[in-house]
């Protein structure tokens, strides 16, 4: 197994970095501790031969991890990491020689299992907190530049402040930022844009990702840009600072951009520095500088800025990862609540909108139909169907009888015919106009037969819609023609009894 771990190591292999190499002994060791205890206490009772590494022994170990998760002794993700490290080693051995592990092994035994993310989700900084961190950190860097400390390659404060600002501005993973090389950060020829290329080790199908950062942040609306190109208040300026510090250390293109990895102790020290400068959280307490919050803060801010337009923020995560790590944040709740409110108001406005008027003859040419289509934002096919009477429902033409704003999609409209005049699906054409005028006459006649309150509750909205929204939209000559047609139509209009009593 040790030889296999060694063979898995190297650039382009499964184990690319020193930190990953160190994780394999840590994640594999629990198996050997379990095996020792299993051989002593349970091995003979189960009938599993513990002198060979059999599939049954491997499955027993995985079941023991599942039992520990169920008993809340370890987290699900920890068990997943233990299984994953051992599984990758065993799979590598089996791929090289299927007989090396003995009989009974097959590829399904090495399949990676899922896990429940039972680790506590780290909440991002609020937009105001992130802004305060950036402002104070940028100010510290400006002071360091003024007294010469910014060009001291050993100055820890400049390193930590730069790392904090870059993380919040770029949003790339910490392990990617940690391992950036000098040659992966390149300014453009005109010095206005900084190109950054980095590799995400956890996504093997992507050999590398490329990002371009504009060192000029767009100014707020109505205000002029107050900072110069490449200032420390921009990602490009910060990267230029780090390139300068690497040059002073004599580093080459293949060397690390940072002098050393910045760890939790450094950020705890930096928290005290910023606290002394007055940094507080939104509730007035000390605001901890936590590197695990940088990326989720960036992603959340991007999500809010796009107003939930997921295609704009889905550039480097799967939907499942984005939902689990970023979209479920408490900071996103106001955006979601506002989206629900906006959708409800939009649906209400659609349900309450009146009919659309199509003042065209039945033989209107394609140009006139197209112009009306553009004006009303309605497909040409729907207008043509209304003009021919294909979609008539007596008082109007219905754009989609099986997609009413009053019923579930796919169900026929359940409203009475006169409700069409208060529906956004309705198209009133010249062929409907005589029937509309005829119905207007009937409801005016009923006004004399019904109580005023009863009539208003049942007909006042329709009455007002005909007089104020429909008839005025047609030329007087067309309305006069329709009145004559209506008067020459014999027979009474059937009105449901419940509307007359």
């Amino acid at each position: 197994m040790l030889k296999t771990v060694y063979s898995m190591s190297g650039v382009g292999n499964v184990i690319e970095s020193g930190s990953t190499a160190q994780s394999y002994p840590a994640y594999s060791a629990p198996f050997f501790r379990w095996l020792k205890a299993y051989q002593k206490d349970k091995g003979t009772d189960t009938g599993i031969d513990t002198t060979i590494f059999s599939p049954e022994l491997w499955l027993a170990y995985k079941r023991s991890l599942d039992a520990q998760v169920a008993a809340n002794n370890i987290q699900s993700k920890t068990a997943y990491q233990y299984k994953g490290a051992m599984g990758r080693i065993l799979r590598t051995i089996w791929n090289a020689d299927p007989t090396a592990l003995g009989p009974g092994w097959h590829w399904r035994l090495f399949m990676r299992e899922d896990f429940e993310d039972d680790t506590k989700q780290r909440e991002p900084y609020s937009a105001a907190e992130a802004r305060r961190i950036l402002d104070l950190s940028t100010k510290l860097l400006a002071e360091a530049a003024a007294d010469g400390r910014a060009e001291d390659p050993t100055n820890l404060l400049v390193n930590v402040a730069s790392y904090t600002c870059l993380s919040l501005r770029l949003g790339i993973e910490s392990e990617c930022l940690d391992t950036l090389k000098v040659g992966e950060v390149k300014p453009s020829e005109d010095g206005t844009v900084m190109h950054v290329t980095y590799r995400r080790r956890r996504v093997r199908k992507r050999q590398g990702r490329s990002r371009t950062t504009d060192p000029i942040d767009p100014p707020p609306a109505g205000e002029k840009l107050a900072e110069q190109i490449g200032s420390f208040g921009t990602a490009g300026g910060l990267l230029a600072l780090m390139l300068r510090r690497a040059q002073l250390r004599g580093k080459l293109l293949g060397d690390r951009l940072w002098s050393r990895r910045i760890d939790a102790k450094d950020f705890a020290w930096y928290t005290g520095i910023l606290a002394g400068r007055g940094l507080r959280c939104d509730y007035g307490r000390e605001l901890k500088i936590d590197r695990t919050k940088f990326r989720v803060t960036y992603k959340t801010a991007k999500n809010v800025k796009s107003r939930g337009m997921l295609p704009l923020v889905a550039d480097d995560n799967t939907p499942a990862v984005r939902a689990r790590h970023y979209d479920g944040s408490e900071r996103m709740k106001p955006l979601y609540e506002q989206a629900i409110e906006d959708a409800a108001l939009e649906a209400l406005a659609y349900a309450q909108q009146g009919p659309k008027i199509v003042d065209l003859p039945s033989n209107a040419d394609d140009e006139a139909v197209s112009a009306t289509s553009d004006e009303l934002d309605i497909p040409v096919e729907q207008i043509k169907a209304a003009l021919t009477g294909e979609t008539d429902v007596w008082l109007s033409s219905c754009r989609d009888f099986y997609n009413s704003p009053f019923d579930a999609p796919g169900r026929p409209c359940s409203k009475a015919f006169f409700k069409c005049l208060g529906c956004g699906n309705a198209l009133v054409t010249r062929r409907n106009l005589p029937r509309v005028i005829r119905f207007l006459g009937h409801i005016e006649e009923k006004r004399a037969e019904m109580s005023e309150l009863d009539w208003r509750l049942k007909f006042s909205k329709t009455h007002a819609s005909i007089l104020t929204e429909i008839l005025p939209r047609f030329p007087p000559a067309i309305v006069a023609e329709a009145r004559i047609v209506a008067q020459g139509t014999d027979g009474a209009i059937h009105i449901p009894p419940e509307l007359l009593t």
Side-chain angles (χ1 to χ4, degrees), residues 172-185:
I172 65 176
E173 294 87 340
S174 295
E175 63 266 28
C176 297
L177 191 58
D178 289 341
T179 57
L180 270 182
K181 294 181 173 59
V182 175
E184 294 172 340
V185 181

Side-chain angles (χ1 to χ4, degrees), residues 110-221:
F110 310 119
M111 291 180 65
R112 297 180 66 178
E113 301 173 15
D114 206 349
F115 69 94
E116 295 293 333
D117 192 0
D118 47 13
T119 57
K120 184 179 179 181
Q121 173 62 42
R122 294 178 177 87
E123 285 297 315
Y125 295 115
S126 70
E129 289 170 343
R131 174 49 55 190
R132 291 197 289 272
I133 294 172
L134 283 169
D135 288 346
L136 276 176
S137 298
T138 303
K139 186 176 181 180
L140 285 172
L141 290 173
E143 292 173 357
D147 60 21
R149 286 177 294 139
E151 293 192 301
D152 177 3
T154 64
N155 190 286
L156 179 62
L157 179 63
V158 176
N159 265 359
V160 181
S162 299
Y163 189 100
T164 300
C165 290
L166 275 173
S167 294
L168 288 171
R169 290 189 179 280
L170 292 180
I172 65 176
E173 294 87 340
S174 295
E175 63 266 28
C176 297
L177 191 58
D178 289 341
T179 57
L180 270 182
K181 294 181 173 59
V182 175
E184 294 172 340
V185 181
K186 299 178 181 179
S188 60
E189 293 184 0
D190 59 5
T192 61
V193 173
M194 192 70 74
H195 299 279
V196 183
T197 303
Y198 61 96
R199 173 175 291 187
R200 300 183 69 209
R201 294 192 302 275
R202 288 177 290 176
V203 185
R204 303 237 148 252
K205 292 182 180 180
R206 300 173 183 166
Q207 294 302 313
R209 295 184 64 83
S210 179
R211 284 273 297 278
T212 300
T213 64
D214 188 344
I216 307 178
D217 288 338

Side-chain angles (χ1 to χ4, degrees), residues 48-345:
I48 298 176
D49 186 358
T50 59
T51 62
I52 62 172
F53 203 121
S54 65
E56 292 77 15
L57 192 65
W58 170 236
L59 293 174
Y61 172 61
K62 293 205 291 185
R63 285 195 297 269
S64 75
L65 291 175
D66 294 338
Q68 292 186 62
V69 172
N72 292 322
N73 294 329
I74 61 174
Q75 292 179 334
S76 177
K77 187 173 184 179
T78 302
Y80 172 81
Q81 291 168 329
Y82 290 171
K83 296 174 187 177
M86 284 292 296
R88 281 188 287 271
I89 295 171
L90 294 174
R91 183 181 59 196
T92 303
I93 295 173
W94 185 78
N95 284 339
D97 181 6
T99 65
L101 297 176
W105 288 89
H106 53 86
W107 64 270
R108 290 186 181 86
L109 292 168
F110 310 119
M111 291 180 65
R112 297 180 66 178
E113 301 173 15
D114 206 349
F115 69 94
E116 295 293 333
D117 192 0
D118 47 13
T119 57
K120 184 179 179 181
Q121 173 62 42
R122 294 178 177 87
E123 285 297 315
Y125 295 115
S126 70
E129 289 170 343
R131 174 49 55 190
R132 291 197 289 272
I133 294 172
L134 283 169
D135 288 346
L136 276 176
S137 298
T138 303
K139 186 176 181 180
L140 285 172
L141 290 173
E143 292 173 357
D147 60 21
R149 286 177 294 139
E151 293 192 301
D152 177 3
T154 64
N155 190 286
L156 179 62
L157 179 63
V158 176
N159 265 359
V160 181
S162 299
Y163 189 100
T164 300
C165 290
L166 275 173
S167 294
L168 288 171
R169 290 189 179 280
L170 292 180
I172 65 176
E173 294 87 340
S174 295
E175 63 266 28
C176 297
L177 191 58
D178 289 341
T179 57
L180 270 182
K181 294 181 173 59
V182 175
E184 294 172 340
V185 181
K186 299 178 181 179
S188 60
E189 293 184 0
D190 59 5
T192 61
V193 173
M194 192 70 74
H195 299 279
V196 183
T197 303
Y198 61 96
R199 173 175 291 187
R200 300 183 69 209
R201 294 192 302 275
R202 288 177 290 176
V203 185
R204 303 237 148 252
K205 292 182 180 180
R206 300 173 183 166
Q207 294 302 313
R209 295 184 64 83
S210 179
R211 284 273 297 278
T212 300
T213 64
D214 188 344
I216 307 178
D217 288 338
E223 296 182 17
K224 293 183 179 180
L225 189 64
E227 57 191 15
Q228 295 181 355
I229 295 175
S231 72
F232 295 155
T234 64
L238 292 166
L239 289 168
L241 169 64
M242 298 316 299
L243 281 177
R244 174 59 180 160
R245 289 168 64 80
Q247 292 169 357
L248 293 172
R249 299 197 316 271
K251 297 300 179 181
L252 303 177
L253 296 181
D255 295 325
R256 294 286 179 89
L257 185 66
W258 305 94
S259 56
R260 68 170 177 84
R261 186 179 185 275
I262 302 172
D263 57 26
K265 292 181 180 178
D266 297 325
F267 286 109
W269 168 78
Y270 191 55
T271 296
I273 296 293
L274 294 187
R277 292 289 188 115
L279 180 65
R280 296 292 184 272
C281 73
D282 290 339
Y283 304 103
R285 298 188 292 270
E286 179 182 274
L287 185 60
K288 181 181 178 181
I289 306 302
D290 185 349
R291 68 185 288 158
T292 63
K293 286 189 169 190
F294 293 157
R295 177 167 167 80
V296 70
T297 299
Y298 171 86
K299 297 288 283 187
T300 301
K302 191 175 181 182
N303 211 352
V304 171
K305 187 176 181 180
S306 71
R307 298 194 59 78
M309 297 297 290
L310 295 183
L312 300 180
V313 295
D315 54 348
D316 59 354
N317 288 117
T318 64
V321 169
R322 186 173 65 251
R324 187 165 62 241
H325 292 292
Y326 308 118
D327 294 348
S329 163
E330 285 291 317
R331 303 287 185 186
M332 295 300 298
K333 284 184 68 176
L335 176 67
Y336 299 148
E337 291 168 354
Q338 186 63 50
I340 294 171
E341 182 180 341
D342 291 345
L345 290 174

